[in-house]
Structure formats: structure tokens, C-alpha cells
Amino acid sequence: MIKEREFEGQWGIRDDEKHQAIAFAISRERRPEGMLKGAEKDGMEVKALGPASFGSLSGEKHQISGQMKGADLFVSVAILDGLLPDGDKITFSTSLIDMSLDKWQPVIEQVMASVAPTPELVALLQGYSRHELFDGLISLEVRNNWEKTDYSDNVSWEPPLVSIYGGRMIRFAHGYHLTGGNGLLSKMKDPIIEKSEMYGIPAWKIVGTGVGVTYTSPMRNKTIPATTVLYLSDICLAKGDRFGYAITASEEQLAEHKVELDKLLASVKLNLPEQAGPCDDLVTYDWNEGLKVGVPRSWRKNQDSKFQLSWYDRVLTTGADIKAYINHNTTDVHPITAYDHPAETLEQLTIDGYPATHYRKKHTDSKKVESIHDYYIIDSRMRFKAASQQNKPSFFIVHFTTSPAAAAEPDTATHNRVLDSIVFGPEWASETPVARVERPVAVIHSTEGQPVQPTAVAVDEAAAQSERVEAPPAADDVAPADAGEEAIEPVQEEQEVIEPLQAERETEPTVNKHQAVDTVDAPVSAAPDNTMAVDTARQRYDQARDLRTEGAALQQQGKLTEAVERYRRSLSLYPDDQLEAHVRLIEQMLSNGRK
């Protein structure tokens, strides 16, 4: 043994006094062909001996001979086909320095013929492995020598020697990484959007640039925009959680790796969870203890406080941003008519039977971007009578924004769907008596099929209790089954790092937060037994709690990247909007340079 280090080694005999040596070496080189060109430059003879086999691997054999620093040099070299993940190649070589080739030729041939690559090397250079992503949602096969980057909400791969600044060649992702404020979708410039399909489910195909660039010169000082093709599901895993995959590359890179990319995509298997559903379907939110509202499953919750509940989303066909707010107890003067601001009065309508008016305003911000604001306001101030809230009459406002106004007209059909889903509980009443407009019975279904009656019709409470089925617990609003356990609590952190989460937890289970909203002219029906669903939910809750605890401990140690990974895994098991917001703050801090 002369020397040995990771992935490399050299064995042989060396006589330093006579400056003679015979050695066998295995090494890794980024461009081993450069060694051959260098030998030619030094005046040595280089011969290509053709292909050769080494077990199940193949390669090319070469021979170098001549004088080097006054010594006779002979080298037999084999360069294996296939690249390691970082682009290196494996070479085998036997060298003679100032020793008789005739005498040692049989030894050289014997050594080279004995080379047998290990199964691990064969698998690395030629094999494939199946990967499971996002709790089993997606599984796929990828070449072992492709470099993998794995985060909680996105996993990406890149072939050896491919370099895309700002992105990876292929990535699979879900949720905020795709549709969030700084997500992949927001980085795409001039996207071309069309309806499509992805693995047998409805999807959107979105093509544009802006995600990454590729280098076009050896000095890496010239770049061109890489094209990104994003397939985004029109099925949402949970509230606000689309998923999909994106390929970012130049035309040349796509052509070079087309066979492997096609094979990878053909290997994908999809296993949708039970709570998944069409992104356009309404799902129910419970707010202020006595109000239910349904919004499209694709909308991500942005804020949930005593006086405001809000969401945001993007209109995929136009790229316009949409936001929705429900406000109460924020103003006791009319937010439109009490001020001298230009506004249109568009229509009279009702919200859960209460007379209301639709107003529209336009606003141009400091960047000259115009947005459209639609306000749906109950004409009489509303009073919320629950003991935990201030008993102050205030205007109830449902506020939608569309921006930029040039991208899309407000989606009033969706506005009306949301407004029609609003149900006030008995804790709510108008400040002055009003004649509520009766409407047909609308049955709001949860994902387990549990119906909830609107308050505009009379309900026999005893009958309703007999039909009621407890929904599976959600991680952010139930206590554990065992009295000695603690419910998941907000992550606490030092003031100078990030503000601690402020959260209000309910101690009793509420209606499941993954409810869908449908309007069905049908009577309430008894729901099936859901014991198994509850047990499964309990297991996911326990796993989410443990991961969140681990994340909090790592955060206290200053290991923010590891903490985010635990939090994201916890969120994949049980959505928690306050934890989501907390994680986004940490991720923003990390992206600004703090580790």
C-alpha cells in the first residue's frame, strides 16, 4: 500500500533510490480525458485501445508511453463509463517507471484483468432507487447518480454536471413552496397557462421563465433564462395545499437528459390521502365560536384572530392575486358610507338572511398597481353575544380584493359561493331587529359526511344531537386523549430571534377543519361509524406533536434549519396555520442570512 483515501487508493512497489516503481491505482477524476491530452502535450504517445468490460461495467482502455523527466514511463489506463453524483469518473491504471515493460507486462495485464467493481459502485453508476415523498403521496424511481436535495415540502434532483443557477432540473413539491408568496409560481415570468392532466387527475400546465438560468460559456460568465414547465394539481391535499412537479432546463439540457426524465416521470405513482379533493370545492372554517364559512380548498389561510379571518390565493388562468377577509368588531361606523371615498353601490343581497349591500372601490398603490376591492356589508350592525368576546355592535364585512385589476375581473361567482356558505350561530344577532330572508336548507358536509344545519331554519336540537358524529381531532384544536398529556402549544423562542407564537387553543373538539361545503336539497342523514378514522387521526396527531416538540428543542439550540424540517413534517401530518406562519418567519430569517 502506497496511499489510500476515500474513493481512491494506490498499491505497488517503489524504490526511491533507483527512482523505480510499479503501481496500481484507482482514482476519481472530474475529466480524466484531460490526463490523456496532457500526456500528448508533453510529447508522449497515447493510444486508444477500445472498449473493455469490468464485471457488469464498461469502459475505454488507453495506453501512454514515453519519457517523463528523464524516466521511461508506461501507463495502462481504463476509464469507466458513468458519472458519480458530482460528475467525477472512476479510472483504473497500472504504471511502470524505469522498469522493463517486457518483464512486467504479464503482471500489468493480470492486475487489470482482476478488477471487479463492487455491487455498490455498479448500483451507483447504473442503478435506480424508488423514493417516497410527502408521507407516501408520491413514489418514483430516480437514477442513483443524480444528486438529491430534500426539504420537507420539496424534493429535487439534478443529473451530474448539470448546473442551473437558481433552480434544480426536476423538483416535486406541495403547498407553500409552489403557491406561497415567494413560491415557485410567483417567480415565473410571462407564464403560459392551460388546463392539463397529471397522473390521471386534473391539473394546470404553466410554462415560463424566471426560476433559473443556465450557463452558456466555459467561464460561466454568460447565461440564458431556463424554461420552467410546472404541472400543478387541481386537486388539493388539504386547505391551500396543491402539489405538482417542475422541470427547469435549457433546450440542450432537456434534449440530453430526455430519456432519463421520461423514465423518471413514467415511474411516478400517486397515492392521494382521504382529505384530498378538488381545489375549487368549498371547505368549512369555524370562526368566533358561532360562525361557519366555506372557502375554496385552494385558498390558504393568512390570519385568524378574534376580529379577522383571511385567506389568499392566485387565479391560475390570469395570474391575479385574490384575498378575502371577514371582519367584525373592527368598526362601529359604516366602512363605506361614513367616509368620503369614491365607491360604487352594485347590488342588494342577503348574508345568511340578513340584508346586505355590495360595494366596490378601486385603489392604486405606490407602485401604480391598481386593485379592485369588493365589500359585502350587512346593513345593520351585528352584535356577538358570547361571553368571550366584547359585546359591542359592529359592522360585519366580507372583503375581497383582486390585484392587479388589469389581470382579471373580480370573481363574483366565487364571492357569492362564499357568501352563501356563511351561517351565523345563535350567539349572533343584529343590533336592531331586521326581517331575515328565509332561504332553502343548505346542508354543509364535512369530509366525514357530518351535516351542519344553517341557523335560518328551525332545528330540533335533540334530533340533531342523536345524528351528530364527532369529527376526527385536529392537531391545533384538541387536547390529547390522556389527561396527563399536554396539547401542542405554540413554539416559544427568544425575543431577538423571532416573536413567540400567540395562539388561543380550544379545550374541546370543534368541527373538523377539513370540511367540504356543498348545497344539497336533502335531509340530514346519519353518518357512519368513524372509529378507525379517529384512531388514525390520533396517531397522526401524536406524531405531529412529537415532531413539533423536537423542532422547539432544536430551535432553542439555535439549529433553525433542523427545526424548520421538524415543523414542516409536523405540518404535513396535521395542518396548523399558526405554526405555518411561525415557520415562514423562520424561513424568511434564514433566507436573509441568519443560520
Side-chain angles (χ1 to χ4, degrees):
M1 168 64 70
I2 297 175
K3 65 178 181 179
E4 184 177 15
R5 59 177 180 264
E6 189 178 15
F7 303 116
E8 297 182 291
Q10 192 177 89
W11 300 263
I13 302 170
R14 184 173 62 190
D15 188 331
D16 291 335
E17 291 183 2
K18 295 181 179 181
H19 302 288
Q20 294 178 330
I22 179 171
F24 170 78
I26 177 173
S27 61
R28 55 188 296 169
E29 303 285 346
R30 174 54 55 91
R31 292 179 179 85
E33 297 82 3
M35 173 182 62
L36 305 177
K37 292 180 180 179
E40 285 182 333
K41 267 180 140 181
D42 292 336
M44 304 187 75
E45 182 182 7
V46 178
K47 291 183 180 179
L49 303 181
S53 296
F54 299 90
S56 60
L57 298 180
S58 60
E60 293 285 331
K61 292 185 71 174
H62 303 267
Q63 180 178 294
I64 303 171
S65 60
Q67 287 274 323
M68 176 67 70
K69 296 182 179 181
D72 290 329
L73 177 66
F74 176 85
V75 184
S76 177
V77 182
I79 303 174
L80 292 184
D81 296 329
L83 298 176
L84 296 174
D86 58 3
D88 289 348
K89 288 186 175 182
I90 296 290
T91 66
F92 303 120
S93 64
T94 303
S95 307
L96 277 179
I97 301 175
D98 259 355
M99 297 179 74
S100 170
L101 177 60
D102 291 339
K103 177 181 178 181
W104 290 97
Q105 182 76 44
V107 175
I108 292 174
E109 293 177 355
Q110 182 181 3
V111 170
M112 294 297 284
S114 71
V115 171
T118 64
E120 291 79 10
L121 179 60
V122 173
L124 182 60
L125 295 180
Q126 296 186 339
Y128 296 78
S129 295
R130 181 158 286 275
H131 302 258
E132 281 202 357
L133 313 181
F134 317 137
D135 290 331
L137 169 69
I138 294 169
S139 70
L140 71 164
E141 289 189 354
V142 186
R143 277 287 295 263
N144 289 335
N145 66 343
W146 283 31
E147 185 176 352
K148 179 182 179 183
T149 303
D150 190 353
Y151 297 103
S152 59
D153 61 352
N154 73 98
V155 183
S156 59
W157 284 271
E158 207 160 65
L161 297 182
V162 169
S163 181
I164 302 169
Y165 182 75
R168 303 299 290 259
M169 176 171 275
I170 184 165
R171 77 182 77 188
F172 290 79
H174 69 96
Y176 192 80
H177 184 83
L178 291 175
T179 58
N182 294 317
L184 189 67
L185 194 57
S186 69
K187 298 176 184 177
M188 296 181 70
K189 297 178 181 177
D190 303 319
I192 298 172
I193 303 169
E194 60 184 73
K195 273 284 191 181
S196 185
E197 193 176 85
M198 176 178 68
Y199 305 118
I201 64 172
W204 297 88
K205 180 182 178 182
I206 305 170
V207 182
T209 60
V211 175
V213 297
T214 59
Y215 297 99
T216 59
S217 65
M219 298 300 293
R220 297 168 66 87
N221 56 3
K222 292 183 179 179
T223 62
I224 60 170
T227 298
T228 295
V229 180
L230 168 63
Y231 281 86
L232 187 64
S233 72
D234 212 15
I235 296 293
C236 287
L237 305 177
K239 296 174 181 178
D241 201 1
R242 295 181 187 266
F243 67 96
Y245 69 89
I247 296 176
T248 300
S250 65
E251 290 185 10
E252 292 78 8
Q253 290 167 332
L254 285 175
E256 180 181 354
H257 298 284
K258 182 179 186 305
V259 173
E260 288 296 340
L261 284 171
D262 288 348
K263 185 181 292 188
L264 184 155
L265 293 173
S267 74
V268 171
K269 295 180 180 178
L270 189 62
N271 180 29
L272 290 174
E274 290 184 6
Q275 69 267 31
C279 293
D280 196 44
D281 278 0
L282 298 188
V283 293
T284 298
Y285 287 82
D286 292 301
W287 185 61
N288 267 352
E289 303 174 9
L291 175 71
K292 299 185 187 300
V293 59
V295 303
R297 186 182 271 106
S298 62
W299 291 13
R300 296 182 64 87
K301 190 162 70 171
N302 191 47
Q303 181 178 356
D304 189 354
S305 66
K306 284 184 177 181
F307 308 123
Q308 179 169 294
L309 180 60
S310 64
W311 303 265
Y312 64 91
D313 197 13
R314 179 183 294 257
V315 182
L316 296 180
T317 52
T318 63
D321 292 318
I322 53 176
K323 296 180 181 178
Y325 310 81
I326 293 179
N327 291 283
H328 181 256
N329 219 347
T330 56
T331 178
D332 56 2
V333 297
H334 198 284
I336 300 294
T337 61
Y339 300 93
D340 188 21
H341 295 160
E344 299 177 76
T345 302
L346 298 186
E347 61 177 324
Q348 301 297 318
L349 67 155
T350 61
I351 299 177
D352 193 19
Y354 291 99
T357 305
H358 175 194
Y359 303 90
R360 177 171 292 172
K361 294 171 61 175
K362 294 185 178 180
H363 173 72
T364 302
D365 64 18
S366 59
K367 296 181 180 179
K368 309 300 182 184
V369 176
E370 185 181 56
S371 55
I372 300 174
H373 298 253
D374 286 280
Y375 295 85
Y376 299 85
I377 305 171
I378 292 180
D379 297 332
S380 173
R381 293 187 300 185
M382 298 292 289
R383 187 186 296 276
F384 185 72
K385 299 182 293 183
S388 61
Q389 296 284 321
Q390 299 178 32
N391 193 16
K392 177 182 177 183
S394 175
F395 280 97
F396 182 87
I397 308 163
V398 185
H399 174 197
F400 299 91
T401 68
T402 306
S403 177
E409 287 293 316
D411 185 359
T412 53
T414 297
H415 297 180
N416 290 332
R417 290 175 68 209
V418 173
L419 294 171
D420 288 344
S421 75
I422 292 176
V423 176
F424 290 100
E427 300 91 345
W428 292 82
S430 61
E431 179 186 22
T432 56
V434 298
R436 294 179 67 187
V437 177
E438 292 292 336
R439 61 180 179 178
V441 176
V443 181
I444 304 176
H445 290 278
S446 75
T447 51
E448 291 75 34
Q450 175 188 353
V452 181
Q453 292 281 5
T455 58
V457 293
V459 179
D460 183 343
E461 180 62 19
Q465 289 287 353
S466 68
E467 300 253 344
R468 210 166 282 157
V469 178
E470 183 179 342
D476 61 351
D477 61 11
V478 300
D482 298 331
E485 295 180 335
E486 293 292 329
I488 294 179
E489 292 297 330
V491 176
Q492 300 298 322
E493 187 177 8
E494 294 181 359
Q495 182 73 21
E496 64 270 24
V497 176
I498 196 169
E499 290 294 331
L501 275 176
Q502 298 297 325
E504 295 183 3
R505 302 294 185 192
E506 300 292 340
T507 58
E508 295 297 327
T510 61
V511 176
N512 183 20
K513 290 193 173 182
H514 296 284
Q515 289 178 325
V517 178
D518 292 308
T519 300
V520 181
D521 293 325
V524 176
S525 60
D529 178 41
N530 63 349
T531 304
M532 185 176 296
V534 172
D535 291 340
T536 301
R538 166 57 58 190
Q539 293 172 10
R540 292 174 67 85
Y541 168 84
D542 290 338
Q543 293 174 34
R545 179 198 57 198
D546 294 341
L547 285 166
R548 184 166 179 164
T549 301
E550 291 175 24
L554 289 166
Q555 185 178 330
Q556 294 247 346
Q557 299 168 26
K559 299 177 180 178
L560 299 186
T561 301
E562 293 90 338
V564 166
E565 188 272 336
R566 298 299 196 283
Y567 291 152
R568 284 291 180 197
R569 285 168 58 193
S570 175
L571 288 167
S572 71
L573 292 166
Y574 264 111
D576 183 320
D577 297 287
Q578 290 173 329
L579 179 57
E580 175 78 50
H582 184 72
V583 172
R584 292 208 301 268
L585 287 175
I586 299 177
E587 289 174 336
Q588 181 180 0
M589 186 172 63
L590 290 172
S591 68
N592 291 336
R594 287 203 55 183
K595 303 296 180 186

